[in-house]
Amino acid sequence: AAWRQGRLDEAIRLLQAAVAAAHVGGGNGDGGGGGMLLQLQLSLGEAFLAAGQPRCAVDQLSAVAAAGQPRCAVDQLSAVDQLSAVAAADAQCPNSVGGGGNTACRARGALLWLLLGRACLACGDDAGADAALTEANACDPELPEPWGLLALLSARHARWADARAALEQGRAVGLADAGVLSSVAEAYEAAGRWVGAAEALAWALQADPAAHDAFTIQCRLIQAHVALGNAAAARAMIDAAAASALPRRARADGGIEADGMKALGTTGNDDGSRDGGGNDDGSDPVRVALLNELALRVEALAVDEH
């Protein structure tokens, strides 16, 4: 309840107390008690992440992973070597975290590695994140999130073939994290790889059309199409973005998409200037101004084509 109400500090204290109580109650075994303890530990790691404390999450989840492998002396290894050692033992120990053929156990193992990968990523430990997310895939290759984060890591390090492969795997298993896809697109944009950027941005919009930053993603996609010289695609995206920039006019016209650039006022004034239509129609002037600027680029692109 504390977590649902946004009281994360209280939720963390309660989870820490519950984990301690489970330890005292003998929850370290391989039976139901052990499963409950692991679930509490995973919830605690996730709470640390939600509270913006990724280092605490790394410490918590790394300890859980190491404790699940009593045969491995991993406490003296580096973080990446710990992950590798735990993974190696995992394949041999059916009762280990994520090991064996127990579906529920493997699902919890995949979640552990996913959370640890996210925490490492938030701490700037890309090598640790890569190792943990790879283990998450080994536990459950049908889990979409690790593929998206591995694509992000690969793109940030200019491993474009790896990024493409991870995205293809993610698409095959239903990756629909608009935030991660937008971040992947940022890496492509920074490298001037506009085809990959456009694909990731279009995918992000498809995954979550009502995202709070959907308009920003639409504008980035327009810019990508302009960079690629795709005037028709850029114009179509401007028309779609105009529907949210001019909500009342869109309703009055029965759909702004039919003539979005005209509705934005891109035909110009007598003095050659352009305007965005003001606020009397319920439009957002900042968004209208941005779309007007992008529309000018599209018009220039269309002229160049002729």
Side-chain angles (χ1 to χ4, degrees):
W3 193 337
R4 289 194 299 271
Q5 295 171 8
R7 304 197 308 271
L8 291 174
D9 289 343
E10 180 181 348
I12 288 171
R13 288 193 297 272
L14 290 171
L15 285 167
Q16 288 173 324
V19 168
H23 275 301
V24 172
N28 283 318
D30 296 325
M36 178 61 71
L37 173 59
L38 178 57
Q39 187 58 54
L40 289 169
Q41 291 168 321
L42 295 179
S43 295
L44 179 56
E46 192 169 8
F48 278 130
L49 273 174
Q53 302 177 43
R55 175 49 58 190
C56 292
V58 168
D59 293 343
Q60 161 71 17
L61 296 166
S62 295
V64 173
Q69 311 297 333
R71 301 178 187 176
C72 299
V74 298
D75 54 327
Q76 297 180 349
L77 301 178
S78 68
V80 175
D81 289 338
Q82 283 187 34
L83 292 171
S84 299
V86 168
D90 186 62
Q92 303 173 5
C93 180
N95 291 323
S96 64
V97 174
N102 187 308
T103 301
C105 182
R106 293 187 69 82
R108 288 194 296 268
L111 179 57
L112 166 64
W113 295 116
L114 171 59
L115 290 173
L116 184 53
R118 287 172 50 196
C120 288
L121 193 60
C123 290
D125 179 7
D126 286 1
D130 197 306
L133 293 167
T134 299
E135 290 308 320
N137 280 342
C139 285
D140 184 1
E142 300 297 311
L143 189 64
E145 290 84 351
W147 293 116
L149 293 173
L150 283 169
L152 175 58
L153 281 167
S154 296
R156 285 180 175 175
H157 290 274
R159 301 195 304 265
W160 305 113
D162 290 344
R164 168 66 61 183
L167 287 172
E168 289 176 354
Q169 291 290 339
R171 188 182 293 276
V173 297
L175 176 62
D177 189 328
V180 169
L181 291 167
S182 177
S183 296
V184 171
E186 286 180 5
Y188 278 98
E189 289 167 323
R193 302 180 73 92
W194 295 107
V195 172
E199 290 176 353
L201 290 167
W203 188 353
L205 285 174
Q206 182 182 20
D208 189 0
H212 72 280
D213 59 345
F215 178 80
T216 299
I217 294 176
Q218 287 174 318
C219 290
R220 289 167 58 196
L221 182 52
I222 294 166
Q223 292 173 317
H225 284 314
V226 170
L228 291 168
N230 297 334
R235 188 179 294 110
M237 184 52 57
I238 284 182
D239 290 344
S244 59
L246 303 170
R248 291 185 187 173
R249 185 177 295 173
R251 289 194 294 270
D253 293 347
I256 198 70
E257 292 84 351
D259 200 3
M261 293 180 70
K262 181 178 179 182
L264 283 167
T266 57
T267 55
N269 298 324
D270 293 339
D271 60 359
S273 64
R274 299 173 186 269
D275 58 57
N279 294 318
D280 56 335
D281 60 357
S283 63
D284 181 329
V286 175
R287 292 186 172 190
V288 169
L290 178 56
L291 285 178
N292 272 328
E293 179 183 345
L294 292 171
L296 285 172
R297 298 184 192 177
V298 176
E299 287 183 340
L301 186 63
V303 169
D304 290 342
E305 288 180 342
H306 296 301

